[in-house]
Amino acid sequence: MSWRRCVFRCERKSTLFGLPKEDTARNLWLRFIYSPVPEQYNTNIRVCSAHFTEDCFLNLGEYKAGCAQRLLLKSGAVPTLPGQSGASDSQLSTSQQALGSERLSTSSRSRDVSCQTDSIETLPAASPKTRSVGTQLSLGTLKGTHARSKGTQSSPPITFPPHKRPCLALDEEEGDTDISESIAEPHDSAVTEESGLLEQTSYNVSKYIVFESCLRELFETCPLCETKCDVQCRRMGSYVSFTQHCPKCSYHRKWESQPVVGSTPVGNLLVSAATYFCGASFIQFEKICKAMQLQIIQYDTFRRHARNYLEPAVIHKWNLDQKNLFSKLQEGGKVAVAGEMRADTSGHSAKYGSYTLMHPDSDTILDMQLVQSDEVGGSFHMEKEGLKRCLDHLEANRLTVEYITTDRHPQIQKFLRERNIVQFYDVWHFEKGLSKKLDRLSQKKGCEILKKWLCSIKNHVYWSATSSTSGPEKVAKWTSLLNHIQNKHIHENPEFPKCAHPEKVSRDPKKWFQPGSMPLYKVEKILNNKRVLKDVEKLSHHHKTSSLEAFHRVILRFAPKNVVFSFIGMLCRLYLAAMHYNENAEREQATTTSGQPMNKVVFSKSKKDECTAKPLKAAPSYDYVADLMKLVFEEVFADPAPFVEELKQIPIPSFLSSQFERPLKEEAVDRHISCFSQGAVESLQTVHMYQGTPAEHWGGRTQVFCPK
């Protein structure tokens, strides 16, 4: 039987009422509906208003006067009338209408605005004011018949499914610490009793900052008799509701600032989602809101939202986007990739290491793997493990790597040789390592002439790498540099017998390296090193990892190195950075109103006297944030179970401290105090070195040993 109609199949438009929560009243309802009461029955059945007497309604007169949208039942009301098929609420019997007119003056006029509330804060009564408040509705508007206020109506609403969200092994929204009551009320829920569906809400409509003083003025006076009213305020994070009651005419209504689904205000979830998806820090955002006294959710609520809805949505969207990208690349056969690792901290003390594979032809992030240091025995081995996981993931999706461009990490070289994958070295990393050695050499006495050639040598690195794909020819062009710095343009190497540029004769011999000199010998030792010559043959002739360096700068916006994240939190922020980069990697150059391309002047950090002009890119887009918002509010929030299961499939390593035995907090505090006190005493005793001090002196220093 459909619960959208009366259980007695009354063909009419009327108000439907569900079974009461109280057991006594529920049993009376069931005895009226079923005779006898069955062991099993549909809990979603509805009974229309035609089966109740006039004294069962709380707002009969107000409903007939047009001040209420639907009838309200009194607590404990029981249906007793058989009803009339085809009748409606407006076609009540004459006796009912007469009785309703007599009860109008004494019954409470009520207007239900579906308020989900928490703790109660009684506001002080104030004298009525006639000044209109532009931020909300006027007093004349309140006298008419209106549906439940939703704040805004500009965007299409979102329909949530009628079924109840499955219970997860996760914490649900319970509100902030300043809430003393439960937000869910039996008769003021966000469920429409006429249809049984969750209230339709919109998340992509405009929002405004409204002062509480402006809201109070809307509820201070009664819209019917203009008498000073009793007002109660209820808060929950960014959510606020007001309950207005007139002591003279018993006018009653409730208003809420935002829709509420289940026990979660939509605005509170929006704050968490916008903060997380944009890569912002909730702690910093909370400081901003506290500075301006803007009500906001607490950090614990933010973490519940992230754990239950936001992080599962990020994982799902990344997997979906990656699957679509792999499908496109499978059509083109083998792929060329570039890879590099990024650590969350500098040096070998990093906790996390993320290895990234990029498709250089489309400048798109293909895959990212996050590795914790204790998984591989230390930070030094994270790069190899990250690359291994990336390559395994590509092979599992039927993608064959043609060649890969990386840095010159020895572990990576050996690993790729064992997997029979062609490897090329990134030119920038090669030039960076070589330039450091040459810069140190140019600082030494007698080698100052090398400073004039540093820029030319750097340019020669890129020219040798990109001019040809043949290894021996690259080496021949590379070794010709030594003849060039001596002003020799004819070479003995048959692969490259002569320089391609025209000969330039200089009258100043100090510009060139002299044959047999010590500076030339030291430069030749660096440039003709066996490892250098071997690496020159494998320099990448086409692709570079400079785009990966740019992507690593994007990661800093989402996962700064001075902030500690959990494993899933770090992984989700890496995925968000990848979504942002993939969406904005191929941005066009910005133009003026007349269509002229725009450029910017950038000064070099290392060369303070030099500047270069670079094209100014257009403003980035954030379509991925809109997609994530839609995913959260239309799918994840309605049924988070499958998304959470997808997240649980990711293997999460244990905490680094889990391998150690955790001492009691009291013992750690006592040890710290005892160590500090003992150190202070021994420091005073070491002032007089030869007066029987117990401190131990060694190497001119005083060592204080604290008891363990």
Side-chain angles (χ1 to χ4, degrees):
M1 180 180 296
S2 174
W3 43 265
R4 295 177 181 271
R5 295 172 50 188
C6 178
V7 67
F8 297 104
R9 297 183 178 271
C10 298
E11 300 294 336
R12 36 183 290 295
K13 293 183 179 180
S14 60
T15 304
L16 298 177
F17 304 99
L19 295 176
K21 302 294 183 180
E22 299 178 0
D23 295 336
T24 303
R26 176 187 288 265
N27 293 333
L28 294 177
W29 280 47
L30 293 175
R31 290 178 184 176
F32 173 77
I33 299 173
Y34 303 105
S35 181
V37 179
E39 296 181 358
Q40 296 182 357
Y41 57 91
N42 188 358
T43 58
N44 293 324
I45 58 176
R46 298 290 187 267
V47 178
C48 67
S49 57
H51 302 280
F52 295 86
T53 58
E54 303 86 358
D55 54 349
C56 294
F57 299 114
L58 187 64
N59 61 336
L60 178 62
E62 185 179 357
Y63 177 82
K64 295 172 59 178
C67 297
Q69 281 281 333
R70 64 189 315 279
L71 291 171
L72 298 178
L73 284 178
K74 292 182 179 180
S75 178
V78 178
T80 55
L81 302 179
Q84 297 178 1
S85 177
S88 62
D89 289 336
S90 60
Q91 297 174 344
L92 299 176
S93 61
T94 307
S95 60
Q96 289 178 331
Q97 294 179 3
L99 181 60
S101 301
E102 296 175 358
R103 295 175 57 87
L104 180 62
S105 58
T106 56
S107 63
S108 60
R109 297 185 175 97
S110 173
R111 176 189 171 97
D112 186 9
V113 199
S114 183
C115 176
Q116 297 287 336
T117 56
D118 277 341
S119 63
I120 299 177
E121 176 184 348
T122 304
L123 302 180
S127 60
K129 298 182 180 179
T130 58
R131 183 175 66 86
S132 63
V133 184
T135 57
Q136 300 290 341
L137 64 165
S138 61
L139 293 177
T141 308
L142 298 176
K143 296 182 180 180
T145 303
H146 298 279
R148 177 180 176 271
S149 174
K150 298 182 181 180
T152 51
Q153 300 288 340
S154 60
S155 300
I158 298 170
T159 304
F160 291 90
H163 61 80
K164 184 179 180 181
R165 290 188 292 111
C167 182
L168 304 174
L170 302 170
D171 296 335
E172 294 291 337
E173 173 98 12
E174 295 181 357
D176 297 335
T177 56
D178 59 341
I179 302 301
S180 59
E181 296 183 4
S182 173
I183 188 171
E185 294 183 1
H187 302 288
D188 288 328
S189 63
V191 179
T192 57
E193 286 138 1
E194 183 172 353
S195 63
L197 294 173
L198 292 176
E199 187 73 24
Q200 294 182 344
T201 59
S202 297
Y203 64 92
N204 53 355
V205 296
S206 301
K207 291 86 179 173
Y208 303 92
I209 296 179
V210 182
F211 284 61
E212 184 177 349
S213 58
C214 298
L215 289 176
R216 289 182 178 181
E217 295 184 13
L218 298 174
F219 307 99
E220 289 177 348
T221 57
C222 178
L224 299 181
C225 62
E226 297 186 358
T227 305
K228 181 171 57 179
C229 297
D230 297 330
V231 182
Q232 294 177 342
C233 176
R234 300 168 175 88
R235 302 185 183 91
M236 180 179 176
S238 62
Y239 165 90
V240 63
S241 67
F242 288 90
T243 302
Q244 180 183 11
H245 179 74
C246 179
K248 182 178 180 181
C249 65
S250 299
Y251 176 82
H252 177 81
R253 73 185 181 102
K254 298 178 181 179
W255 178 91
E256 59 181 358
S257 63
Q258 57 187 251
V260 179
V261 180
S263 61
T264 304
V266 176
N268 289 350
L269 184 58
L270 268 174
V271 171
S272 300
T275 305
Y276 199 103
F277 295 156
C278 293
S281 170
F282 181 82
I283 301 299
Q284 298 299 327
F285 179 66
E286 186 180 28
K287 292 179 181 179
I288 297 174
C289 295
K290 287 184 177 180
M292 60 183 299
Q293 299 296 321
L294 181 63
Q295 300 299 318
I296 190 179
I297 59 177
Q298 295 184 354
Y299 181 73
D300 292 341
T301 304
F302 170 76
R303 285 306 310 159
R304 283 198 300 271
H305 291 163
R307 183 172 60 253
N308 295 359
Y309 313 114
L310 308 183
E311 291 173 348
V314 173
I315 298 296
H316 176 77
K317 186 178 187 305
W318 169 255
N319 292 338
L320 186 62
D321 293 348
Q322 192 180 47
K323 183 179 179 180
N324 296 334
L325 181 59
F326 286 167
S327 300
K328 296 179 181 178
L329 294 178
Q330 288 172 0
E331 302 174 357
K334 294 184 177 181
V335 294
V337 297
E340 191 173 7
M341 194 200 78
R342 172 192 178 270
D344 62 336
T345 56
S346 57
H348 294 284
S349 61
K351 179 182 180 182
Y352 298 124
S354 58
Y355 199 90
T356 307
L357 278 186
M358 172 182 285
H359 187 238
D361 292 332
S362 60
D363 201 15
T364 306
I365 304 298
L366 283 180
D367 189 30
M368 296 185 67
Q369 295 293 333
L370 184 63
V371 183
Q372 191 167 290
S373 59
D374 61 343
E375 295 184 78
V376 291
S379 304
F380 183 75
H381 306 282
M382 291 193 301
E383 184 171 0
K384 176 183 174 181
E385 180 64 21
L387 175 59
K388 179 180 180 300
R389 294 181 183 180
C390 288
L391 295 177
D392 292 342
H393 192 201
L394 294 185
E395 292 180 359
N397 289 273
R398 304 191 305 274
L399 284 178
T400 305
V401 177
E402 182 180 3
Y403 63 87
I404 183 173
T405 304
T406 64
D407 54 11
R408 299 185 296 165
H409 198 285
Q411 285 187 348
I412 300 301
Q413 297 178 26
K414 181 180 178 182
F415 171 73
L416 294 176
R417 283 198 308 267
E418 294 175 351
R419 295 193 63 151
N420 297 323
I421 298 177
V422 179
Q423 180 188 18
F424 288 103
Y425 298 144
D426 178 58
V427 182
W428 181 82
H429 285 88
F430 177 81
E431 180 268 328
K432 180 182 178 182
L434 192 66
S435 298
K436 289 182 178 180
K437 298 179 181 179
L438 296 176
D439 288 338
R440 288 194 296 266
L441 180 60
S442 64
Q443 302 295 332
K444 295 183 179 180
K445 185 177 181 180
C447 299
E448 291 82 0
I449 189 176
L450 181 58
K451 294 181 179 180
K452 302 178 181 180
W453 288 92
L454 290 178
C455 183
S456 298
I457 293 176
K458 294 178 182 179
N459 295 333
H460 187 78
V461 173
Y462 292 97
W463 175 73
S464 301
T466 58
S467 59
S468 174
T469 59
S470 175
E473 186 175 350
K474 287 182 179 180
V475 177
K477 290 186 176 183
W478 175 254
T479 55
S480 66
L481 176 63
L482 292 175
N483 294 327
H484 190 275
I485 62 179
Q486 301 178 67
N487 200 16
K488 295 180 181 180
H489 307 289
I490 304 298
H491 317 299
E492 300 178 357
N493 196 318
E495 298 287 344
F496 191 69
K498 185 179 179 180
C499 291
H501 62 81
E503 296 184 10
K504 294 182 180 180
V505 180
S506 176
R507 298 179 181 179
D508 187 4
K510 295 182 179 180
K511 292 182 178 180
W512 310 94
F513 283 81
Q514 300 301 319
S517 62
M518 182 59 67
L520 180 61
Y521 169 76
K522 293 183 178 181
V523 172
E524 183 179 4
K525 187 177 180 180
I526 295 176
L527 300 181
N528 283 352
N529 183 274
K530 290 183 178 181
R531 183 180 177 184
V532 172
L533 296 179
K534 189 176 180 180
D535 293 344
V536 168
E537 296 183 9
K538 302 178 67 175
L539 289 178
S540 176
H541 58 279
H542 183 60
H543 298 304
K544 305 178 181 63
T545 60
S546 57
S547 297
L548 281 173
E549 298 292 339
F551 171 63
H552 289 169
R553 290 193 293 269
V554 175
I555 294 179
L556 291 176
R557 295 173 46 190
F558 291 85
K561 292 190 176 184
N562 60 344
V563 181
V564 180
F565 299 99
S566 63
F567 187 87
I568 289 296
M570 187 72 177
L571 185 62
C572 290
R573 289 180 176 267
L574 291 176
Y575 287 165
L576 288 172
M579 295 177 194
H580 179 83
Y581 183 86
N582 290 345
E583 182 177 324
N584 298 279
E586 298 181 354
R587 282 183 296 159
E588 298 180 354
Q589 186 176 2
T591 57
T592 60
T593 54
S594 60
Q596 296 296 328
M598 301 178 63
N599 298 276
K600 61 180 179 179
V601 178
V602 180
F603 285 86
S604 175
K605 184 178 180 181
S606 58
K607 303 173 184 178
K608 299 182 179 180
D609 56 339
E610 296 183 8
C611 62
T612 57
K614 295 184 178 181
L616 183 63
K617 298 292 184 180
S621 60
Y622 299 91
D623 294 339
Y624 68 96
V625 176
D627 295 340
L628 286 170
M629 287 286 192
K630 183 178 180 181
L631 178 63
V632 167
F633 285 92
E634 295 187 6
E635 300 182 32
V636 180
F637 186 75
D639 188 10
F643 300 92
V644 174
E645 289 298 327
E646 185 178 6
L647 185 146
K648 290 181 179 180
Q649 295 178 2
I650 300 176
I652 303 176
S654 58
F655 295 104
L656 291 178
S657 59
S658 61
Q659 55 185 328
F660 305 105
E661 183 179 357
R662 187 179 184 89
L664 296 177
K665 185 176 181 180
E666 293 76 8
E667 296 179 0
V669 173
D670 294 341
R671 188 184 304 115
H672 172 74
I673 297 176
S674 175
C675 179
F676 179 79
S677 303
Q678 183 69 19
V681 172
E682 294 186 359
S683 298
L684 294 176
Q685 293 176 350
T686 56
V687 174
H688 302 285
M689 189 176 302
Y690 303 103
Q691 295 184 2
T693 172
E696 181 179 348
H697 300 274
W698 176 77
R701 295 184 179 180
T702 301
Q703 294 184 345
V704 179
F705 298 95
C706 299
K708 295 184 179 180

